[in-house]
Amino acid sequence: MNAITLGNHEFEGKNNTYLLESNGTVALIDTGIPRPSIRDELADGLAARNRSFADVDLVVLTHFHIDHAGLAGEVAEAAGGAPVLIHEDDEPMVRHDEDALDAYDDLQERRFEEWGMPADKRTELREFLEDAPDIDAPDEIEPIADGDEIEIGDVSLDVVHSPGHTAGLCSFEFERDGAREAFVGDVILPVYTPNVGGADLRLDGALGHYLETLERIADRDYDRVWPGHRDVIDDPTGRAETIREHHHERTERVVNVLREAAPATAWEVSDALFGSLENIHILHGPGEAFAHLDHLADHDVVERTDEGYRLVDDAPDIDRIVGASSR
């Protein structure tokens, strides 16, 4: 297995594509952003390992975001129609299903209105998103689901559905030299925490799903995992716990914001949490605030009014809502 590091001009951090070879079968885990410079980086990375796009037998995608799925179609076409695998919930977004994309655009507009996003920030965000390249849609996509097995030569990848960052985000678990490892995309990352709420508006109860995913990662007790950005994570259980503690602290902060300034919209809560936002953060900031507010509403801590969210439980049990620390 080889990691190929790719540039990322749209979002934070470098991207990782993983080249996996076993018994004559060649697979790529994720592909990077569909820009010519990134395509050249991927081609050069493969060439340094005596491979090219034409050698790829299979493309496996962790989720639909352009920095992970963007070049899937070009790689697959250059490989003579190699199949592309992605979870069934994210498959329509990679396939460019018109109904799915139209529904997402409509949902986005509704969310911006619900969150109270100012008109000038909507314009700025739309311009940023319109400048981002589209995924190069593959001709052949094979939907996968939790519990499936992907055979790559003598290596078997077990599909572990890991929603939260996106609806169809998956980890791919495998055994190597007696160790349990996984490719995890943006399930957990070594430096920053994956966005929940703004990264995929289709997922209802995004924070609740993500907390369950973190628990699942911890329960599987991996020896190491290979993330979609930056370096290998040698203590995945500890990292999952650190991210859960981050959401515990953020939930406390959201509650404190509402104590001081309720009712408040998701945008107003985001402003209290993060301050001024630019580019993709105009989406991710209020999306994160909304995910926390939505989770609190699910636990009868807040209610939504015409003016925004307000507390109905001034002293909530955050350990019950987010989980108590295991440390």
Side-chain angles (χ1 to χ4, degrees), residues 32 105 205 230 256:
D105 288 343
R230 304 180 188 255
N256 285 335

Side-chain angles (χ1 to χ4, degrees), residues 52-277:
S52 69
F53 290 177
D55 296 317
V56 175
D57 299 300
L58 185 67
V59 177
V60 182
L61 301 176
T62 58
H63 60 298
F64 77 88
H65 288 159
I66 62 169
D67 53 337
H68 296 264
L71 285 166
E74 184 170 351
V75 171
E77 181 180 6
V84 175
L85 278 58
I86 189 167
H87 190 272
E88 56 194 0
D89 287 345
D90 280 5
E91 183 268 342
M93 307 299 285
V94 174
R95 182 165 47 87
H96 287 189
D97 179 273
E98 289 188 10
D99 290 340
L101 295 178
D102 288 346
Y104 197 86
D105 288 343
D106 291 343
L107 176 60
Q108 194 173 68
E109 290 305 312
R110 291 200 306 275
R111 285 284 186 258
F112 294 170
E113 185 68 27
E114 291 168 5
W115 295 350
M117 184 184 292
D120 61 329
K121 285 299 180 180
R122 295 190 202 189
T123 300
E124 182 181 343
L125 177 59
R126 288 192 193 99
E127 290 174 352
F128 173 84
L129 295 175
E130 288 171 2
D131 187 55
D134 289 329
I135 293 171
D136 187 3
D139 291 330
E140 181 181 353
I141 303 179
E142 297 182 9
I144 54 178
D146 186 64
D148 286 352
E149 292 185 6
I150 302 170
E151 302 298 335
I152 302 171
D154 295 329
V155 176
S156 178
L157 300 182
D158 295 329
V159 178
V160 182
H161 188 207
S162 309
H165 183 62
T166 75
L169 181 58
C170 284
S171 304
F172 302 109
E173 183 179 293
F174 61 97
E175 299 282 338
R176 184 172 64 157
D177 299 329
R180 176 182 283 185
E181 306 183 36
F183 300 108
V184 296
D186 289 356
V187 177
I188 59 173
L189 297 171
V191 177
Y192 54 93
T193 60
N195 181 259
V196 178
D200 188 354
L201 305 182
R202 302 171 303 154
L203 186 59
D204 292 330
L207 181 56
H209 285 292
Y210 187 55
L211 292 171
E212 291 174 358
T213 287
L214 291 176
E215 184 176 358
R216 195 173 190 185
I217 289 285
D219 288 346
R220 297 179 97 81
D221 197 25
Y222 295 118
D223 293 283
R224 68 188 63 83
V225 299
W226 303 88
H229 303 267
R230 304 180 188 255
D231 298 327
V232 62
I233 300 174
D234 289 318
D235 180 17
T237 299
R239 182 58 187 159
E241 173 61 12
T242 296
I243 294 173
R244 191 209 57 75
E245 289 174 350
H246 161 84
H247 284 291
H248 190 289
E249 294 168 2
R250 180 150 292 168
T251 299
E252 291 178 328
R253 290 185 64 195
V254 169
V255 169
N256 285 335
V257 169
L258 293 180
R259 284 195 183 111
E260 296 174 3
T265 64
W267 181 264
E268 290 166 337
V269 172
S270 170
D271 187 60
L273 295 175
F274 310 117
S276 179
L277 301 171

Side-chain angles (χ1 to χ4, degrees), residues 300-311:
D300 299 319
V301 175
V302 305
E303 67 175 5
R304 182 174 180 174
T305 71
D306 292 340
E307 293 77 30
Y309 294 88
R310 70 175 188 87
L311 286 172

